[in-house]
Amino acid sequence: MALSPRTRALAAATLALTAIAGCSSASGGSGGDGAKDGAVSIDFYYPDQVGTLSTLIDGYLKDFAKEHPEIKVKGVYSGDYDQTLAAVNTAIDAKKAPALAIMDQSFMHDLVERKAVTAWNPFLTTDADKQWKDSFYPQFMSNSVGADGQVWGIPFARSTIVQYWNKDYFKKAGLDPEKPPATWDELIADAKAVQSGAGAKWGLFIPTSTGTAYWLYQALVQQAGGDGAISDRTGTKVTVNSPQNVKALESWASLGAQKIAPTTEVAWGTSTDDFLAGTTGILWTTSGRIGSIQEKAGFDWGVSALPAGAGKGAPTGGGSLMLFDAGVSKKQKEAAVTLAKFLTTPERAADVSAKSGYIATSDAAWNTEAMRGYLAQHPQAKAPHDAVADAVPEMATVDRDRVVYQTLAPALQSVLLKGADPRQALDKAQSDIDAILKTHR
């Protein structure tokens, strides 16, 4: 899930490129093997959305260097997902793309249309290769496979939307602190109770920021009985104005009307801090915030799947490993595949999950001794794993900036923050999105 509009990414490109320029090791990009003593050199870009991932990857790359001295990896911390996209696009233009990068999976269609990425299929030829690809949860792979069956991403740091609740507030309000709201009726009742009975300023926060409103909206559409994926597998068709879509937005807007949630923007970047400060009793946000809440919460808290309505579930999010093409040789791509397999072993997937809050990407990772030990100490981490069973793909389209950030997000905000009519706003957004995507079909 991209956390900010691509326009912000372009403005931040200088920051990302400065970081790249300051990195040590092999000169140039992945273009040219940079081989010395038979070694192959590659660039690997990695973002950090949660504040702990970059340190983990630094350690993994040191371990990789010991195990694979024949491959020289220049690891490049590249900011957040949008900054990474800007940096990658600049490198592609210079014909010096990284051989491998962790990219927001929802960028896939734009990168494929640009012919910037290489499919994984040519590198998945043996039974062991195919078993590796098939080991990842299909809910995470759903955003990685195109309509033609080509695999464009391998899950790495993946997430979904979950519900956090303040158990202390629930107890004070006379609610069962071990029972989070499991339906929309319970959600409304519990949100009101923590305001009136526990003194919370707000009952519920669902972030409305431009960069994330679409993601939360997907969850609401799924719960309203619609197709929460919203976009099709080609990335050229989007549905935002079905009866279920309208019902979802009406339900979201009703929170403000009932004074359970503010009618001013609920900012993604500060909503977790608001929850930690006790401003709201319930928060919907990424499962990737578990680590931060676990570290900083001064009260008892819980995490669960989102409540159900006519349907249940939420979209996935997060980053996948992608192979790039511009200036990258076949030998470098093969080295990048070796690195990807190293980074996605069950043990490292479990380590990423336990230390960052992302969801471990396979059953094998959840069955490691380390993960079992972590769950024994932090049982809250099981809820995101269980929520994956009902997860739907994150909205992913071509021309993503215009479709998501310039069209859908403003339509949602016009209703949530300015009181516009949901049906009219979504009908207008549908018409505008159809016009944008028509040129790509």
Side-chain angles (χ1 to χ4, degrees):
M1 176 208 49
L3 296 185
S4 55
R6 193 170 304 168
T7 50
R8 186 176 71 79
L10 294 176
T14 301
L15 173 63
L17 292 173
T18 299
I20 293 168
C23 286
S24 60
S25 114
S27 61
S30 289
D33 291 350
K36 293 181 180 180
D37 301 324
V40 58
S41 297
I42 62 173
D43 286 356
F44 169 47
Y45 289 11
Y46 55 94
D48 188 357
Q49 297 289 129
V50 295
T52 57
L53 193 58
S54 60
T55 301
L56 289 175
I57 292 176
D58 285 343
Y60 299 155
L61 293 181
K62 290 177 182 177
D63 293 339
F64 182 79
K66 296 174 184 176
E67 189 169 318
H68 293 277
E70 78 283 5
I71 301 173
K72 307 298 182 183
V73 180
K74 180 167 72 173
V76 178
Y77 169 65
S78 46
D80 64 18
Y81 287 136
D82 287 325
Q83 290 168 341
T84 299
L85 179 64
V88 164
N89 280 333
T90 300
I92 291 169
D93 289 340
K95 303 297 183 186
K96 294 182 179 180
L100 186 70
I102 301 172
M103 304 295 294
D104 187 301
Q105 191 58 58
S106 63
F107 297 158
M108 180 186 81
H109 290 297
D110 274 337
L111 291 167
V112 171
E113 187 178 64
R114 191 182 176 193
K115 295 183 169 56
V117 285
T118 295
W120 288 82
N121 301 62
F123 304 96
L124 303 174
T125 56
T126 69
D127 288 343
D129 293 335
K130 294 171 184 175
Q131 288 173 4
W132 173 64
K133 185 260 294 181
D134 292 340
S135 69
F136 300 101
Y137 288 130
Q139 293 85 351
F140 291 147
M141 286 298 297
S142 64
N143 264 121
S144 299
V145 182
D148 58 358
Q150 294 294 302
V151 178
W152 300 102
I154 295 295
F156 182 74
R158 300 307 302 272
S159 61
T160 190
I161 304 169
V162 291
Q163 173 177 253
Y164 299 87
W165 79 98
N166 184 320
K167 291 186 178 182
D168 288 358
Y169 276 166
F170 270 53
K171 186 175 182 180
K172 188 175 179 180
L175 302 170
D176 183 346
E178 303 304 322
K179 185 176 181 292
T183 67
W184 259 82
D185 287 343
E186 291 177 4
L187 178 69
I188 300 300
D190 290 355
K192 290 179 177 178
V194 298
Q195 286 179 290
S196 61
K201 182 176 181 180
W202 298 107
L204 171 64
F205 270 11
I206 301 178
T208 57
S209 301
T210 297
T212 54
Y214 77 94
W215 203 46
L216 282 303
Y217 178 58
Q218 283 188 256
L220 291 157
V221 172
Q222 186 72 15
Q223 292 158 26
D227 179 8
I230 296 181
S231 56
D232 73 350
R233 290 187 65 190
T234 69
T236 61
K237 183 178 179 181
V238 171
T239 302
V240 299
N241 68 338
S242 72
Q244 294 86 358
N245 288 69
V246 175
K247 181 181 178 182
L249 187 51
E250 289 173 342
S251 297
W252 196 355
S254 75
L255 301 176
Q258 297 178 73
K259 301 188 185 306
I260 296 169
T263 53
T264 54
E265 181 179 334
V266 176
W268 175 268
T270 58
S271 59
T272 301
D273 291 336
D274 291 330
F275 177 71
L276 290 168
T279 304
T280 182
I282 304 169
L283 171 68
W284 289 15
T285 190
T286 173
S287 55
R289 292 288 181 258
I290 281 185
S292 178
I293 293 174
Q294 188 172 275
E295 178 184 351
K296 299 176 183 178
F299 51 83
D300 198 8
W301 58 281
V303 59
S304 72
L306 298 183
K312 62 179 180 178
T316 60
S320 292
L321 293 158
M322 295 189 185
L323 297 170
F324 285 83
D325 206 36
V328 183
S329 69
K330 180 181 179 182
K331 187 176 181 181
Q332 288 174 311
K333 292 174 185 176
E334 291 170 347
V337 172
T338 300
L339 175 59
K341 290 179 177 178
F342 180 89
L343 292 171
T344 56
T345 62
E347 292 74 19
R348 291 186 185 88
D351 193 50
V352 167
S353 182
K355 293 176 181 175
S356 74
Y358 283 111
I359 302 171
T361 51
S362 68
D363 276 338
W366 284 94
N367 289 326
T368 60
E369 183 177 348
M371 180 56 79
R372 289 196 296 269
Y374 174 70
L375 288 174
Q377 290 186 317
H378 305 287
Q380 295 102 326
K382 187 174 183 297
H385 166 266
D386 294 346
V388 171
D390 298 310
V392 298
E394 181 178 359
M395 179 182 181
T397 75
V398 293
D399 221 337
R400 179 176 171 77
D401 191 46
R402 288 204 295 161
V403 170
V404 176
Y405 299 135
Q406 297 180 33
T407 306
L408 179 56
L412 299 175
Q413 290 173 333
S414 72
V415 175
L416 299 170
L417 309 181
K418 299 177 182 178
D421 179 76
R423 163 61 71 183
Q424 292 179 6
L426 291 176
D427 280 347
K428 177 63 164 58
Q430 185 71 60
S431 177
D432 291 344
I433 290 171
D434 285 345
I436 294 168
L437 294 180
K438 182 179 180 179
T439 61
H440 296 274
R441 291 174 187 150

